[in-house]
Amino acid sequence: LPPAGPPAPFPLLSRLDAADNEVAELGADIAALPALKSLDVANNQLRELPAALADCPRLKEANFRGNQLRDKRLEKMVNGCQTKAILEYLRAGGRGKGKAESAREDVRKKKREKQQKKDSGDGEQDEVEEASKLLVKILHVSENPAPLVIKVSPGVKDVRAFIVCCVLKGVNLKPGNALKRFLSMQTKLHEDICEKRTVATIATHDLQLVKAPLTYDVQPPDELKIMPLGRKEIKAKDLLRQLQLEAEEQRKQKKRQNVSGLHKYLQLLDGKDNYPCLVDAEGAVISFPPITNSEKTKIRKDTRDLFLEVTSDTSLQICKDVMDTLILKIAELNRSTLENREGSGSDTESDALCGPGSLNLPLVVEQVRVVDTDGNLKVLYPSKTDLATVSSLLTVIR
């Protein structure tokens, strides 16, 4: 490519097809193509993708498959993601700097600013902030008479290796649109920090409906059965086919490529011989990540205690960071719900929860152990180091 600079070297070039050409490097001058809409550099010898790609103003379609990229996370995105997500990742600085990392960096920034305030002698203001922070109390496994344990089968290693779980008690979803706001929050986290479920998937369950012990396992598509949210029991293979048909119908009706709901996550299971699932003590599948969880453990308005689950095929740390953020968001929603109820003068049965000082009642997070088939500990959440990324907004009683 000619070097960037006015005038633009190829002002009208909109499609560049350089697949199968042993290209070893894509220069930053790619951004000097103002009309570039489609780029195909598949099956070359690229090891890096330049951040400058994100500066191509009209780039909508790009094919980078078949290149041995150094950034393995980016390589996964290239094989399964839309161009927009890849460009956002590059724009954010590449390795580890996707939306999930950006969210963590924001929290760290707030924490640094708070520390600077403290160092500058603004102690009184800091005490007020501390008093108004959300409270979460951790119940350790050693203090819990009946702690929940998740047993992991060896097969998940090649399908969706990482899982983190915990129990959250004391949530109030009864008033007004609290449940609707809770579900919307979960959807937003899937779009943002979970990067459209490509790095992690969240599932939330009513703890009272969860039959322990639980097993995180894999099953073939024609054997895995689940009762998806709002649907009858169905095999995973048939569910995906049904969703695919619905997606095609949706596209025809709306005359566009984008689809909504579960349909936009179907490609995340492409090429997998087995599907991941969380199975309860009765043999029922209560979660089928990254697609859906079960009607059997569906959260309702009277749900008070939650079983939270985050899975990923990217890394264990991503699971923990997403779980940290999920707990923070639920705590914020709970505080908001209680504040609104205090102001409303409502006289429903759970008004007792909203007496003086109730706004600072802590939610209780129970530790959950994830073990292998021999009972060896794989992960315990929350551990001493977890919830640190949200500590500037949350007071954790350990």
Side-chain angles (χ1 to χ4, degrees), residues 15-24 39-46 63-67:
R15 177 175 178 82
L16 179 56
D17 188 345
D20 303 291
N21 271 290
E22 300 187 4
V23 177
L39 174 66
D40 188 351
V41 286
N43 304 317
N44 280 294
Q45 295 174 4
L46 298 174
N63 184 3
F64 305 112
R65 290 186 181 91
N67 289 286

Side-chain angles (χ1 to χ4, degrees), residues 70-137:
R70 285 196 183 92
D71 186 338
K72 294 307 173 189
R73 181 172 165 198
L74 179 58
E75 191 171 56
K76 278 189 179 180
M77 293 175 72
V78 160
N79 291 330
C81 287
Q82 296 175 344
T83 302
K84 185 180 176 185
I86 295 166
L87 295 181
E88 282 176 356
Y89 182 77
L90 293 171
R91 187 177 290 115
R95 182 184 290 275
K97 287 285 184 181
K99 285 184 179 177
E101 179 64 23
S102 299
R104 295 195 289 276
E105 188 56 42
D106 287 345
V107 172
R108 291 187 194 110
K109 185 180 175 185
K110 286 177 184 175
K111 192 174 179 181
R112 284 196 299 271
E113 287 172 353
K114 181 184 164 187
Q115 189 60 44
Q116 286 166 1
K117 272 187 186 178
K118 197 183 244 184
D119 294 344
S120 66
D122 195 4
E124 190 175 324
Q125 173 69 22
D126 209 53
E127 283 178 21
V128 172
E129 282 181 12
E130 193 66 34
S132 67
K133 281 200 324 188
L134 301 151
L135 289 178
V136 166
K137 183 180 189 309

Side-chain angles (χ1 to χ4, degrees), residues 99 160 182-204 229 261-262 264-265 268 289-293 309-311 322 325-326:
K99 285 184 179 177
R160 196 174 184 85
F182 175 88
L183 297 174
S184 297
M185 171 271 295
Q186 191 172 324
T187 300
K188 191 169 188 309
L189 288 179
H190 270 144
E191 290 294 305
D192 294 339
I193 192 171
C194 295
E195 298 180 29
K196 294 183 168 57
R197 304 198 193 189
T198 57
V199 298
T201 307
I202 297 164
T204 53
L229 292 168
L262 301 179
K264 55 188 174 181
Y265 307 119
L268 298 177
I291 303 299
T292 184
N293 49 311
E309 157 211 342
V310 178
T311 60
V322 170
T325 307
L326 177 61

Side-chain angles (χ1 to χ4, degrees), residues 8-16 30-39 55-61:
F10 300 111
L12 301 179
L13 181 64
S14 64
R15 177 175 178 82
L16 179 56
I30 191 80
L33 301 176
L36 186 65
K37 291 182 182 177
S38 175
L39 174 66
D55 298 325
C56 294
R58 297 191 178 182
L59 187 58
K60 300 291 182 208
E61 296 177 14

Side-chain angles (χ1 to χ4, degrees), residues 154-167:
V156 302
K157 183 181 176 184
D158 302 319
V159 179
R160 196 174 184 85
F162 307 104
I163 182 168
V164 165
C165 302
C166 70
V167 166

Side-chain angles (χ1 to χ4, degrees), residues 223-241:
E223 291 180 19
L224 195 161
K225 284 184 181 178
I226 186 170
M227 187 184 292
L229 292 168
R231 297 173 187 252
K232 294 180 179 177
E233 187 177 66
I234 188 171
K235 287 182 179 178
K237 179 180 69 175
D238 298 330
L239 172 63
L240 263 63
R241 188 185 298 122

